[in-house]
Amino acid sequence: MADRKSKPREGETCQVKSCGKPAERSVSGESAREAKLDVEEDLKRVHLCKEHYRQYKKSTKQDRVLESLGR
Ligand SMILES: [Zn+2]
């Protein structure tokens, strides 16, 4: 409940299980799961904290690299 001013919107936290930090970004649930983030299956949008967003970007980038290398 502390530190409200740094949150993008009130009550929005990172939706990766066992994280719970203030959300910085939101991505589609599908792409979050593709990035191997541990989120609920039925979410359409997933809010991510700074760290998990970085992880998300990294993973999606790696996927693209792997895909292009494999062809
Ligand atoms: Zn997080």
Side-chain angles (χ1 to χ4, degrees):
M1 281 271 201
D3 203 28
R4 265 168 194 262
K5 64 187 174 195
S6 68
K7 292 183 183 176
R9 253 187 263 160
E10 201 174 314
E12 287 192 352
T13 51
C14 179
Q15 287 176 299
V16 175
K17 289 171 194 171
S18 80
C19 180
K21 288 180 185 170
E24 295 261 333
R25 308 279 181 146
S26 81
V27 301
S28 78
E30 202 181 329
S31 59
R33 286 188 292 277
E34 277 171 16
K36 307 277 196 297
L37 293 173
D38 193 11
V39 298
E40 297 286 349
E41 299 260 323
D42 58 347
L43 291 172
K44 281 186 183 159
R45 300 294 298 173
V46 181
H47 300 299
L48 297 177
C49 67
K50 211 183 241 174
E51 274 170 53
H52 280 119
Y53 183 68
R54 197 182 299 157
Q55 199 182 317
Y56 163 83
K57 277 206 303 193
K58 225 173 163 183
S59 303
T60 51
K61 211 175 177 183
Q62 276 174 355
D63 279 353
R64 244 174 265 144
V65 171
L66 286 175
E67 234 174 65
S68 58
L69 285 176
R71 276 167 205 185

